[in-house]
Amino acid sequence: MSTFVLSSDQGGPVKKIDYAAALNQEQLAVVLGGDGACLVLAGAGSGKTRTLTYRVAYLIEHGVDPASILLLTFTNKASREMVERVEHVLGPSAKGIWGGTFHSVGARLLRMFAEELEYKKNFSILDADDSRDLIKAVMKDLKIDPKARRFPASGVVGDIISFARNTQQSIEDALEIKHPNFMPFSGEIEEIARQYTVRKKQANVMDFDDLLTNFAMLLESPHVGMRIAERFRYVLVDEYQDTNAVQARIVAAISRVHKNIIAVGDDAQSIYAFRGADVKNILSFPEQHPNARIFKLLTNYRSTPEILDLANESLSHNVDQFQKELVGLREKGGKPKLIACQSASQEARYVAEQILALRNEGTALANIAVLFRSSAHSQQLEFELMKRDVPYEYRGGQKFFERAHIKDIVSFLRIYENPKDEIAWLRSLGLQTGIGAATATEVARQAVSLERIEEVTDENGIVPPTRGRGGWDDMMKILKTMVSKGRVPADLIRTVSSSTYQDYLEREYPNFRERLEDLEQLALFAENYEDLSAFLADISLYDDVLAQRQEAGRGDNERLILSTIHQAKGLEWDSVFIIHLADNAFPNKRALAEEGGLEEERRLFYVAVTRARRQLFLSYPLTMGHETLMFNQPSTFIDEVNPRLFDRVELREAGFGAKRVSKPSSGEWSWDDDGEYEEPTIQIAPTTVFKKTETKKPLKPGSFLRDIEDL
């Protein structure tokens, strides 16, 4: 009789791994010596995922039960990737590892021990919309109506409560940091937070913050907490620099029995303080664990040495950090290019032309990214890409003219231009304090019977609403001020954005400051227009062209990436452009006012630089605006490093006698007789359209989208 053995997905012989062959010496040291408390400082592009994967594989290969290994990450994708890699390396014997985000692992354990915190095991988890709705219900019961008084909306109240919980601060302290204008409401917000907590408990529900705070409480309980900590012999935490105060408590509590904790992270990439992350968690790790071993992964597999030289020197200006320098393994490339542009418009033209040139040289659009500090900085480039028909994917929010606050401002301009625009009336009225849908509909019905904006501001034939009279008066004040400004679009935009609409933004949106920056960028762009009609025509055509492209299904699988730097963390591209590197834009002025703000901004610059594999372009506009010129200095992060790290490029407009000056073959700047740098010069060509070889004459303001239709 013969025998056939079925394979088992429950286990099997452990594969033997040649760790010395699979890892470099830095990584190998972590894998072989990772017992006890260990801090792994993993520089950008240094293979931290590979290191964690092989550390877990090493433990299992040496007899550690996979179910006693806990892997904590910040995304489910990262957790799945690492677990799948371990299973690929070891085979079925790796089944059973506990891996997931802090929230998902917390939810799993809270299901098991819910009664310990006086919950039932079948508790529901509220998503962001559910949480906002419950806070709104609490506010209604407390007779707090944000529409009737200038109180923050439920979404902003929820953000304040969440920030306070994740940073382990009081509501008052959170308000001081996030919304000082709302300090007079601190008592009421504290009561909302208290009742919100009671209502959740009564309904047997938890929100996302509860999954962390209740997880921490569970682990810190003397009985159940010790049982859980005893279960997990080895705890590995990814992206430790991004942990907040509650997550740091969780890590400390769950590793307190066996004390085998590997915290992997990079203090140089701690950029999420606005979400509550605290860089002090990773900086103080050696103090929290006096016998901790510190490993450094500094071999960079991603970027050329020239790019790393810039990253290293920039970061050297930070004081609160672990000292380390990335060492590149890639072959040498060109220095990062530094481009001073006359204006944001010229910067956008240069970036668009360089992107098309890179594509023609063989770099796929998907391997090119344009990064920026704030979403407001992308607006000029988005228009330029539309003009040239370059497909792009926007990460970090909606495209510029699709954003709600941009549409709000445009609705006021549409009323000014055409008082019969009922849709614009309904949108603008809905923003005013005390005016609901019914009142807005009634007022709009009266307003659209008028022909001229002056008739509206004189209130001819309009009966002011009894309910929401204050909001109506605010709107009339805005429209009357607009009439006094004439028809210059930029003046009209600034009139609306500096009005009571600013209060509305702060009440409604946690990120109201970023939205105000967007509105100033809209005004700066509008300075290219002298007449309101042309400006509104281009805005409407932008929407039309975008809709036509989406409906047409052009089949452009290859798209350029536009992204905020925060959204780009963890990603990489062959060629990277960092735009708007002006001192009034990056570092961010608001961030500089906060403790440690400059160092975090420098870390953000470091993250942006280290996204590039082969080519890096850094640019900034020397001026902003058209009628109201603002002169910019280059970013602090450019000025503070050695100028020899850059290949400086001078731009000249084609048709003005400019000629291309070849860069010295050595790749270095040349020196003239006066000891000054002689910089390579390139021309800005006439508009080049994606996938087309012909050129077009430069477009006049207010005409470019109409010209697109002629292509």
Side-chain angles (χ1 to χ4, degrees), residues 533-553:
S533 298
F535 177 75
L536 290 175
D538 274 2
I539 300 303
S540 62
L541 283 171
Y542 172 91
D543 291 334
D544 290 344
V545 172
L546 189 63
Q548 289 169 11
R549 289 178 178 178
Q550 291 171 342
E551 290 173 6

Side-chain angles (χ1 to χ4, degrees), residues 581-646:
L581 270 166
D583 212 33
N584 63 356
F586 189 12
N588 181 276
K589 289 186 293 185
R590 186 177 67 257
L592 294 181
E594 300 171 0
E595 182 182 357
L598 177 59
E599 294 212 347
E600 174 145 334
E601 289 291 291
R602 191 177 284 111
R603 293 194 294 268
L604 192 61
F605 178 67
Y606 172 88
V607 167
V609 168
T610 54
R611 297 313 93 197
R613 289 191 284 252
R614 295 192 302 109
Q615 292 176 291
L616 178 63
F617 301 83
L618 311 169
S619 62
Y620 63 95
L622 290 166
T623 61
M624 291 291 294
H626 179 63
E627 295 182 357
T628 309
L629 274 182
M630 296 185 296
F631 293 92
N632 297 326
Q633 295 295 320
S635 169
T636 301
F637 308 139
I638 299 299
D639 275 348
E640 68 187 5
V641 299
N642 191 327
R644 287 181 174 274
L645 293 174
F646 302 111

Side-chain angles (χ1 to χ4, degrees), residues 135-402:
I135 289 173
K136 188 181 294 184
V138 169
M139 291 170 64
K140 185 174 182 181
D141 289 348
L142 292 173
K143 296 182 169 45
I144 296 173
D145 182 3
K147 291 288 288 183
R149 46 188 290 221
R150 303 189 189 283
F151 195 90
S154 57
V156 175
V157 172
D159 182 70
I160 294 166
I161 295 171
S162 177
F163 186 81
R165 296 182 70 192
N166 282 293
T167 57
Q168 304 285 272
Q169 298 183 93
S170 67
I171 292 293
E172 198 167 276
D173 288 341
L175 283 171
E176 187 68 39
I177 296 169
K178 301 278 282 185
H179 295 277
N181 287 346
F182 294 149
M183 283 295 288
F185 304 130
S186 62
E188 290 170 284
I189 295 174
E190 285 173 0
E191 180 60 20
I192 293 169
R194 189 189 69 78
Q195 293 203 22
Y196 174 57
T197 300
V198 171
R199 293 275 284 269
K200 285 186 293 180
K201 197 69 170 286
Q202 290 173 342
N204 193 40
V205 299
M206 297 186 196
D207 63 18
F208 289 145
D209 296 329
D210 291 322
L211 295 179
L212 294 183
T213 55
N214 288 343
F215 185 14
M217 289 170 60
L218 186 68
L219 292 171
E220 291 166 350
S221 65
H223 176 57
V224 171
M226 288 300 291
R227 285 173 56 193
I228 296 172
E230 285 171 358
R231 171 182 182 138
F232 295 111
R233 287 182 58 194
Y234 290 89
V235 178
L236 301 91
V237 186
D238 191 21
E239 304 286 8
Y240 192 70
Q241 79 280 350
D242 293 335
T243 54
N244 60 35
V246 184
Q247 289 161 333
R249 283 173 54 199
I250 289 169
V251 172
I254 207 165
S255 61
R256 71 184 186 272
V257 173
H258 300 289
K259 302 188 184 303
N260 291 314
I261 165 72
I262 292 184
V264 181
D266 184 5
D267 57 296
Q269 297 186 71
S270 179
I271 59 173
Y272 294 116
F274 68 96
R275 294 181 186 169
D278 190 349
V279 70
K280 293 176 184 175
N281 290 342
I282 191 168
L283 293 177
S284 65
F285 189 90
E287 299 169 18
Q288 302 299 321
H289 306 271
N291 297 318
R293 300 181 65 190
I294 299 178
F295 299 89
K296 295 182 180 181
L297 305 183
L298 303 179
T299 303
N300 178 281
Y301 294 90
R302 177 187 299 159
S303 307
T304 62
E306 291 81 2
I307 291 171
L308 296 180
D309 286 344
L310 173 59
N312 287 330
E313 178 157 343
S314 175
L315 200 64
S316 70
H317 290 82
N318 272 7
V319 176
D320 294 329
Q321 64 168 325
F322 292 105
Q323 293 299 322
K324 54 190 179 298
E325 283 200 1
L326 296 177
V327 178
L329 287 187
R330 294 185 67 123
E331 63 182 23
K332 284 193 171 186
K335 292 181 180 180
K337 294 187 184 300
L338 179 62
I339 307 97
C341 307
Q342 292 177 5
S343 63
S345 175
Q346 190 186 67
E347 180 182 43
R349 289 168 55 205
Y350 167 75
V351 171
E353 291 210 11
Q354 191 63 257
I355 286 168
L356 290 174
L358 289 171
R359 184 184 180 278
N360 290 338
E361 293 167 4
T363 303
L365 284 181
N367 276 329
I368 305 172
V370 182
L371 308 181
F372 31 86
R373 172 61 180 86
S374 167
S375 58
H377 300 158
S378 69
Q379 175 260 331
Q380 288 276 6
L381 179 60
E382 287 189 63
F383 262 83
E384 192 67 28
L385 295 174
M386 285 286 294
K387 183 196 306 185
R388 298 169 187 270
D389 206 20
V390 179
Y392 66 91
E393 176 184 339
Y394 193 98
R395 298 178 182 175
Q398 291 177 302
K399 295 180 178 180
F400 192 80
F401 286 102
E402 296 173 355

